[in-house]
Amino acid sequence: MADMNPKPALPGRADRPWWRDAVIYQVYIRSFADGSGDGIGDVAGIRSRLPYLRDLGVDAIWINPWYVSPQADAGYDVADYRRIDPRLGTLEEAEALLEEAHEHGIRVILDIVPNHTSDRHPWFQEALAAGPGSRERERYVFRTGRGPGGGEPPTNWPAAFGGPAWQRVAEADGSLGEWYLHLFAPEQPDLNWENPEVMAEFDSVLRFWFDRGVDGFRIDVANGLVKDPAFPDVTPRASEGPPFVERHPAWDQEGVHEVYRRWRRIADAYRDDPRVFVGEIWVESAERLARYLRPDELHTAFNFDFLLAPWDAAEMRRAIDTTTAAIQGVGAPATWVLSNHDVIRHVTRYGRPEGKGLAPAGTVSTDLELGTRRARAAALLILALPGNAYVYQGDELGLWEVEDLPEEVLQDPLWVRSGHRHRGRDGCRVPLPWSGDATPFGFSASGSAAPWLPQPAAWRELTADAEATAEGSMLTLYRAALRQRRGEPALGDGGFRWLEAPAGVLALSRDPGFACVVNLSSESVSLPPHEAVLLASAPLEEGAGEVRLPGGCAVWLRTA
């Protein structure tokens, strides 16, 4: 298959595919940059900041959903997969963005949401009108209820956002009828991936965007899609962790792998520049994750085991070892990530008391100075590990979780569905600060409208403009690290080995002649033998004839 919109030559190592060691920047579009001045980030805003992303040194961007959507779940309720939401831009603007990004040497990955649509999607509206047993309802998961008159849900499954996972519909005659499955919000009905029409529709959607020059897709809820056809009840969850990790008849079913084999064939058909996939895959073990990364399935998948690991050397090493061991068997690279739009920002997580890193926003105290120190070190660690890495927008500025947003501005469905017990994910989605001393900090081009979520006044010190010229800022650290990573032959894809290190310290070596040492303890430690210091997350301690690495810090070393 030939590209309808061939891309200019993009940077990458000649000896391996670009995606095996790329650094990819996540653009949460509503909060990245506002080009229209209405307080909501948009395509025009991304286009205006492409030089910033180029100078940062990233290889690609991943853009969260920009499709037509009622925004019941921040765009993850899609009503039209081939059009841009008018609040965010137009298809013509999106095509211009793709061309301009490629001219800057930046590839573009989009989000795709295949587990469910919006309840406003034409298919679902047709399903409601058509009635039980219809072809239209076969595109979704409709079932008859249990109990007298079918008045009880078909299963006891809970929804990820709270409440039951089933919603009963009113039929055309006004009577209560079937139930439809929604593993997330009621406005997000689950598709039936046993249906050939569903499979064919997403084949078409992939090609629609690939033909326009999109380089790949991040797959939302990639471990979902296929459900156990028996639809058994489940036992109550044993933990308060991520809801997708434990075994469940809606997650990680065998049939999902055939979907991705089909998708891989489509991506590989673009022979001049094969398109790529990264999966959002929450599973119970690294071995289960590796099954999605077999050579004929997905290219990469986020390493959530590492993201969830506490600030502890043993736990981080365990997460790194189990992941790398499992994926080596299928020939895939690791994918490292510290934050995203669904989790507490890691500056906050690393500054919380031990064991409380993942506690809901606003429930525990945070030492932001400590969290920032550790976040700087963690950045050098993930960029030194083999494979590719993702940077969530604002990571490079050292942004923290905004835990005190007024209740009246919260929009995450978790807030409503939990009965206002869980503040949700809005705290990691606050619009970026670009410049100036007061809100909107350059987020909106004209500054005429307040950002859709309020920014903390203290972010005046963390704007991109302020950090660009501040010696030792988080932004200067990221720029230096990405510049060195791109030019350092030891970094990117490949292997590594652990070095002997004191308790609480991780030290790894990569050939040729590179080492990374991360001190996760509170006491300074001596550096191993080296020829030069390449980069440090904080000033090193010198005295008594030796150089020492302070607690909560990391360093890159030239060893030969």
Side-chain angles (χ1 to χ4, degrees):
M1 178 178 297
D3 291 357
M4 292 175 59
N5 181 26
K7 298 185 293 297
L10 293 168
R13 298 180 189 255
D15 59 337
R16 54 184 178 262
W18 70 270
W19 48 268
R20 293 193 66 93
D21 50 19
V23 176
I24 301 171
Y25 185 97
Q26 180 187 350
V27 172
Y28 190 75
I29 185 169
R30 289 169 56 86
S31 299
F32 182 67
D34 169 22
S36 66
D38 65 356
I40 300 174
D42 48 32
V43 177
I46 302 175
R47 293 173 68 186
S48 73
R49 298 296 182 177
L50 286 173
Y52 168 84
L53 296 168
R54 177 202 60 210
D55 294 344
L56 179 60
V58 298
D59 301 293
I61 57 175
W62 150 36
I63 304 173
N64 287 96
W66 59 8
Y67 316 107
V68 173
S69 168
Q71 300 292 325
D73 182 24
Y76 284 92
D77 49 317
V78 180
D80 189 334
Y81 290 86
R82 295 176 180 82
R83 290 175 53 220
I84 305 298
D85 192 293
R87 288 164 289 190
L88 306 180
T90 66
L91 181 58
E92 291 73 22
E93 286 182 289
E95 290 172 336
L97 167 62
L98 291 168
E99 182 177 350
E100 291 164 7
H102 291 149
E103 289 172 354
H104 283 293
I106 299 171
R107 290 178 169 86
V108 180
I109 293 173
L110 300 185
D111 227 311
I112 193 165
V113 189
N115 181 71
H116 48 263
T117 70
S118 166
D119 61 352
R120 307 285 182 86
H121 191 287
W123 272 13
F124 192 71
Q125 293 298 307
E126 292 167 5
L128 293 179
S134 64
R135 166 175 167 264
E136 289 81 1
R137 286 205 177 176
E138 283 299 312
R139 297 166 177 160
Y140 292 89
V141 183
F142 279 87
R143 292 291 184 274
T144 301
R146 298 189 291 194
E152 299 177 10
T155 73
N156 69 345
W157 297 0
F161 292 154
W166 296 91
Q167 183 84 3
R168 199 173 191 186
V169 303
E171 303 296 355
D173 61 2
S175 64
L176 291 175
E178 292 186 315
W179 300 71
Y180 69 86
L181 178 67
H182 61 87
L183 291 174
F184 294 89
E187 296 88 351
Q188 296 168 293
D190 278 53
L191 288 160
N192 173 19
W193 274 87
E194 303 293 338
N195 185 294
E197 283 190 78
V198 173
M199 291 188 283
E201 170 66 1
F202 277 87
D203 290 352
S204 175
V205 169
L206 293 177
R207 292 189 179 104
F208 177 88
W209 290 107
F210 284 159
D211 288 346
R212 280 158 178 78
V214 167
D215 297 281
F217 281 97
R218 176 262 190 188
I219 306 169
D220 185 59
V221 195
N223 56 304
L225 282 62
V226 176
K227 281 69 175 175
D228 184 336
F231 283 86
D233 279 345
V234 297
T235 55
R237 291 187 58 219
S239 74
E240 293 298 320
F244 322 118
V245 174
E246 298 170 8
R247 297 294 286 168
H248 188 288
W251 311 125
D252 196 26
Q253 299 296 305
E254 189 61 32
V256 77
H257 296 283
E258 185 50 45
V259 174
Y260 298 134
R261 293 185 188 102
R262 180 180 179 124
W263 285 17
R264 181 63 178 259
R265 290 192 292 270
I266 292 172
D268 288 349
Y270 292 78
R271 295 182 181 87
D272 291 341
D273 193 2
R275 308 313 200 241
V276 302
F277 297 113
V278 56
E280 181 202 25
I281 301 171
W282 293 90
V283 285
E284 62 185 2
S285 68
E287 290 72 26
R288 299 295 299 182
L289 179 70
R291 300 178 76 246
Y292 290 80
L293 302 177
R294 289 173 288 196
D296 61 345
E297 295 190 43
L298 304 182
H299 302 77
T300 59
F302 295 119
N303 186 346
F304 292 124
D305 190 28
F306 179 82
L307 182 151
L308 298 175
W311 186 258
D312 178 86
E315 284 297 307
M316 282 196 173
R317 177 165 176 168
R318 178 203 57 77
I320 293 167
D321 284 343
T322 55
T323 297
T324 53
I327 64 175
Q328 281 175 355
V330 294
T335 298
W336 311 104
V337 60
L338 294 168
S339 287
N340 62 36
H341 65 293
D342 284 333
V343 298
I344 300 285
R345 283 190 178 272
H346 64 280
V347 164
T348 297
R349 295 201 318 269
Y350 291 153
R352 288 176 163 187
E354 185 176 354
K356 299 293 185 180
L358 295 170
T363 61
V364 295
S365 61
T366 301
D367 182 339
L368 290 178
E369 183 178 355
L370 177 64
T372 300
R373 184 179 183 87
R374 291 173 169 178
R376 293 171 64 90
L380 294 192
L381 173 59
I382 67 165
L383 294 174
L385 288 167
N388 56 76
Y390 279 72
V391 176
Y392 179 45
Q393 64 178 47
D395 285 358
E396 81 283 10
L397 301 177
L399 300 188
W400 58 79
E401 187 82 5
V402 183
E403 301 189 73
D404 58 353
L405 288 169
E407 292 185 358
E408 62 269 19
V409 306
L410 297 178
Q411 300 187 24
D412 191 340
L414 273 169
W415 170 244
V416 175
R417 297 284 292 174
S418 69
H420 295 178
R421 294 189 303 273
H422 192 308
R423 292 179 63 86
R425 301 161 292 176
D426 289 324
C428 65
R429 301 174 175 183
V430 175
L432 294 189
W434 290 98
S435 60
D437 296 322
T439 187
F441 294 121
F443 171 70
S444 293
S446 65
S448 58
W452 70 280
L453 288 173
Q455 303 154 308
W459 278 7
R460 67 172 61 90
E461 299 177 1
L462 300 181
T463 67
D465 276 5
E467 292 200 30
T469 57
E471 183 178 356
S473 71
M474 187 76 83
L475 181 57
T476 59
L477 176 70
Y478 266 84
R479 284 178 172 174
L482 293 178
R483 182 175 60 251
Q484 290 196 29
R485 176 185 163 101
R486 181 169 285 183
E488 175 59 56
L491 296 182
D493 198 18
F496 80 104
R497 66 182 184 277
W498 293 112
L499 301 174
E500 289 188 16
V505 176
L506 296 178
L508 62 94
S509 174
R510 304 201 62 190
D511 294 329
F514 176 91
C516 174
V517 183
V518 187
N519 184 1
L520 290 93
S521 74
S522 58
E523 303 296 328
S524 64
V525 296
S526 298
L527 292 180
H530 61 279
E531 293 187 354
V533 172
L534 300 176
L535 186 63
S537 67
L540 303 178
E541 297 177 358
E542 298 187 33
E546 66 171 346
V547 179
R548 297 179 66 84
L549 180 65
C553 298
V555 65
W556 286 358
L557 302 173
R558 171 73 61 224
T559 57

